[in-house]
Structures are given as structure tokens and as C-alpha cells.
Amino acid sequence: MLGRRWCLIALALIGLALPAQAQDKYPSHPVKLLVPFPAGGPVDVMGRLIAQRLSSTLGQQVIVENRPGAGSTLAGRAAATSDPDGYTLMLASAATLAIGPALYNNAGYDPLTSFAPIGMWSSVPYVMIAGQKVPANTVPELVAYAKANPGKLNFGVPNGAPPHMIAAWFRAATNTDIVIVPYRGASTVITDLMGDQIQLGVETTSVTFGHVHEGKVKALGVATQSRLAALPDVPTMIEGGVPDFIASSWTGLVAPAGTPKDIVMRLNGELNAGLASPEMKERFQMLAAEAHPGAPEDFMAFIVKEIPKWQALAKLAGVKAE
């Protein structure tokens, strides 16, 4: 009788242990990736590349959930207050970690303490573009024309987004009177630029490449240290006479603060492996994007450096919370 009782207890303990072991295996169910922007935009594209890569290697589906709004701080708040169990991740960018918290005093999170950095993913450079009817083909020609015609050029930018700050930066750096016209999104900016409703824009290569190669808009300068292999004939903004004019749309992956280190390192390893894969290298080449493999600590150091830069540009642009 005693032996039978111990057998029953042992079986019960085994039964209790099995679910616990299953829970310890990460991930045991789908993972949610919060993207702080609407579907279809350049940042969303990067988020979906990450989700696709992780879904193929983690053994569980990574589901993209677009959570735009309040200067991208809605997603930041949702991620920061989620359980730190590795099942809620967020696509990080300058908008959510620097600009949003600078505009919204009640963002609901601290960009440096509310998240556990996992790894940087990419940076995509910005390109200054102009309509075909603009009588300038280079940055120096644009500056000369703008100074000779103050207030006659319009700069279309998504309101409160990085291009808004970059346009204000260019205007201040060149001492030109160019009117900044806020838009709701990049797609409308491009449409109006091609229709000559506005004259200037600044967007990432992932947005502008097709239009530039098709001759629908002109690329005046790239905001990079050196020229892009995909646009070898387009000078850098620095070559055009605007010192230190370097800006990119960067993305990475973060989790809520307190996420176990082993989960963070597992995800970091998968990110880095994805960036080294031939498939991802091909996709990045198509977008003129630069891969940024590295450790979580590398990404944190980058974030710390980027926050004051974008906060200063937001102040320069005079952007206000909607």
C-alpha cells in the first residue's frame, strides 16, 4: 500500500513538472512584435523583416502588431508595461526612444530604463529630393536658389517625424528661408512632390529609390559620410557644403526591462545570424540599408548617443505634441 502511494505521488509530481519544463522552453507560444507605425511604411518594413526572420528560427510565429499614435509613444508605453517574459517585443527607433518622450511629458516610459535592448538591426540613410521642375540639381544650387527666392520653396515632411527635424536642420544650417509644410505621411509627400505641389522632401532610400531611378524626382544629396554605391552620382550633403549632415532611420529590437538575460541573448543571436544571412543581405542591398550586428550593450550605447541628438533637432524644428 505504501509503495503504491509513493508511486502515485511520483506520477503526480512528474505531471506537475512537465508543464513547467514546457514553459521554461522559450518560446513556447507566439511572440508579439509591437511596431509603433502604420503598416506599409519604411520602419514597418524593417519590423516585418525581423518578424519573418525570427519566425523562421525560433520555432514560433512572431506576430507584428502595428500600434501607431501619440508620436509612437503608444507602442512604447504598451511595451514598457508588458510582462518581461520575452513574449512582447518592440521595434525601436529614434521616434519612440528619443523624439516621442521629448514631445510627450506623460509618455509613460523612460527610454533608457524601461527597456532591455536586444540588438540593433539596421540604418537606412535619408536622401534630400526635389521635384523635376525645381531649378537645382545639387545642394549648392538649391541653397543659392533658396536664398535668391526666400519663402518660395516648400519642404514637405511627415509632421513630427525625423524628416521634419532634418528639414529644420537643413534650413538652419544653410540659413535659408524654406517653408516647412507638415503632412500626415510620407506617401502623400511623395505624391505632391511628383505633382509639383511642393518642391522638396527628405526621406529614406527605401522610400525614394524607385522614384529616383524612374526619374520622377531628383536626388540632390545623401545624408551619409560617403556616397552610396546604389546612388554613386549623388553627392553627400557634406560634399554639398552642409557640415556633419548625417542622418539615418535606424531600427532595433527591445524588450521590457527585466526580461531574462538568456532570452535577450537568444534573440540577439538570432538577430545577428539573420543579418549575416544571404537573403537578408540581398534585401538590405535593395533598400541601401546598412546592417548593424552587435551585442545588446552596443545597442544601448548607440541609443544613449542618439537620444540627445534627436531631442535637440525636435526642439530646433519646434515640433509640438498633437
Side-chain angles (χ1 to χ4, degrees):
M1 177 68 73
L2 188 60
R4 176 185 164 96
R5 181 180 298 173
W6 279 112
C7 286
L8 291 174
I9 292 173
L11 287 172
L13 290 174
I14 292 172
L16 289 173
L18 287 175
Q21 291 172 356
Q23 288 174 1
D24 289 343
K25 184 180 179 182
Y26 174 84
S28 60
H29 57 269
V31 176
K32 179 169 59 179
L33 174 60
L34 297 177
V35 174
F37 298 91
V43 178
D44 176 69
V45 168
M46 288 300 173
R48 292 179 186 277
L49 286 178
I50 293 176
Q52 182 182 26
R53 172 65 191 182
L54 293 180
S55 294
S56 67
T57 59
L58 290 178
Q60 291 287 345
Q61 186 177 7
V62 176
I63 303 170
V64 172
E65 182 178 311
N66 295 93
R67 192 80 67 91
S72 83
T73 61
L74 288 183
R77 186 183 305 117
T81 55
S82 295
D83 291 335
D85 55 9
Y87 289 95
T88 299
L89 309 174
M90 185 182 74
L91 185 71
S93 70
T96 309
L97 297 187
I99 299 170
L103 301 182
Y104 293 83
N105 294 326
N106 59 343
Y109 60 91
D110 184 299
L112 294 179
T113 62
S114 296
F115 305 105
I118 293 170
M120 192 169 175
W121 179 248
S122 70
S123 63
V124 186
Y126 283 99
V127 181
M128 183 164 293
I129 52 178
Q132 288 292 353
K133 292 186 178 180
V134 175
N137 295 310
T138 65
V139 171
E141 290 177 0
L142 173 65
V143 172
Y145 181 81
K147 288 185 174 181
N149 298 272
K152 291 187 178 181
L153 292 175
N154 292 326
F155 224 134
V157 297
N159 187 37
H164 192 156
M165 288 77 174
I166 295 171
W169 180 13
F170 177 78
R171 188 173 62 178
T174 57
N175 193 28
T176 49
D177 180 10
I178 301 174
V179 179
I180 295 178
V181 182
Y183 279 75
R184 286 194 172 272
S187 60
T188 314
V189 170
I190 298 296
T191 299
D192 281 5
L193 190 65
M194 292 189 296
D196 297 315
Q197 303 300 312
I198 54 175
Q199 293 76 45
L200 300 169
V202 57
E203 266 301 339
T204 60
T205 51
S206 59
V207 173
T208 58
F209 254 12
H211 305 300
V212 170
H213 286 304
E214 291 171 7
K216 295 179 180 178
V217 298
K218 296 187 288 189
L220 304 185
V222 293
T224 51
Q225 184 69 49
S226 56
R227 295 194 185 194
L228 297 176
L231 293 172
D233 297 328
V234 180
T236 66
M237 299 295 292
I238 297 173
E239 288 180 274
V242 191
D244 303 319
F245 204 91
I246 299 173
S248 65
S249 172
W250 53 266
T251 56
L253 200 62
V254 299
T259 299
K261 184 69 172 179
D262 59 333
I263 292 179
V264 170
M265 295 311 298
R266 167 81 188 280
L267 292 169
N268 175 265
E270 298 293 357
L271 279 186
N272 289 336
L275 292 174
S277 68
E279 297 83 6
M280 208 57 66
K281 287 181 178 179
E282 182 179 356
R283 295 295 295 272
F284 273 41
Q285 186 175 11
M286 292 172 59
L287 300 172
E290 181 179 355
H292 287 274
E297 295 77 14
D298 298 328
F299 189 29
M300 173 58 87
F302 178 82
I303 292 170
V304 169
K305 185 179 178 180
E306 282 287 287
I307 286 177
K309 170 186 174 179
W310 287 103
Q311 288 182 346
L313 289 177
K315 183 176 181 180
L316 174 66
V319 176
K320 304 294 182 181
E322 293 182 349

